[in-house]
Amino acid sequence: ADCQYSNWPALIQSCQNSTQKIPSIGVWSPLIDYVPWKMQTMLIANIADSSLRVVTRTDAIVFYLASPIVQRMKLANYDTNLYGWGIEWMFVCAAYAQGMITVIDSSIVVQHPNNTGYPKAEAQLQLTEFLKQLSMREEIQGRLLRSHIKLKGGTPIIPSAASQ
């Protein structure tokens, strides 16, 4: 893909160690550079004695999904979401709606280009349509996550289904 990391086997091992130690992890991701949000606005909590951060969102570039989240994501229709925007929001909302957490391992930084080769306006439209598939519980979690992002000084880029 369009990202780089110096030691992919170590990244996978870190993910496996984290998810075995904390079975409530629904979504795991390394820290991705050049994403449109900042850690300080995503951070919910630090997990003691680790580099894991409980967050409001991650990115769908490099990630792990627990089995219940994979099963939920299999129900989504991706046919009109050509650029993939909103997929990570759906799996994060699904994780929290199922009582799981989303974490970023801040000790692993994956390099990602600071640009995109596709039309952002079209991707945003596709995201809005894609997220109409959120269940009521997932949408409620999304609203809570957006509120936390705003509280921390961030700007949620994911619209609420109710605002559409």
Side-chain angles (χ1 to χ4, degrees), residues 53-106:
R53 309 292 175 249
V54 180
V55 294
T56 57
R57 64 175 308 142
T58 182
D59 201 279
I61 295 172
V62 178
F63 59 91
Y64 155 89
L65 302 177
S67 181
I69 311 309
V70 170
Q71 295 310 310
R72 190 283 175 247
M73 296 307 292
K74 285 181 178 181
L75 301 175
N77 181 340
Y78 301 90
D79 291 346
T80 60
N81 191 350
L82 303 178
Y83 304 112
W85 282 23
I87 292 172
E88 81 289 346
W89 188 253
M90 180 180 279
F91 60 59
V92 166
C93 291
Y96 284 112
Q98 294 185 43
M100 302 182 93
I101 61 174
T102 296
V103 299
I104 287 178
D105 187 330
S106 63

Side-chain angles (χ1 to χ4, degrees), residues 20-137:
Q20 287 173 357
K21 183 176 179 182
I22 307 170
S24 63
I25 293 175
V27 179
W28 178 98
S29 176
L31 188 60
I32 308 289
D33 66 354
Y34 297 119
V35 292
W37 41 85
K38 307 254 184 280
M39 178 60 81
Q40 66 264 21
T41 65
M42 298 185 308
L43 183 64
I44 296 172
N46 294 318
I47 296 180
D49 301 320
S50 81
S51 57
L52 297 178
R53 309 292 175 249
V54 180
V55 294
T56 57
R57 64 175 308 142
T58 182
D59 201 279
I61 295 172
V62 178
F63 59 91
Y64 155 89
L65 302 177
S67 181
I69 311 309
V70 170
Q71 295 310 310
R72 190 283 175 247
M73 296 307 292
K74 285 181 178 181
L75 301 175
N77 181 340
Y78 301 90
D79 291 346
T80 60
N81 191 350
L82 303 178
Y83 304 112
W85 282 23
I87 292 172
E88 81 289 346
W89 188 253
M90 180 180 279
F91 60 59
V92 166
C93 291
Y96 284 112
Q98 294 185 43
M100 302 182 93
I101 61 174
T102 296
V103 299
I104 287 178
D105 187 330
S106 63
S107 71
I108 301 172
V109 181
V110 171
Q111 306 300 314
H112 183 263
N114 189 18
N115 59 13
T116 167
Y118 50 83
K120 290 182 179 180
E122 178 64 25
Q124 185 69 40
L125 289 172
Q126 291 177 13
L127 169 150
T128 301
E129 192 62 31
F130 180 75
L131 292 179
K132 290 180 180 177
Q133 300 176 77
L134 291 176
S135 71
M136 183 182 354
R137 288 179 61 176

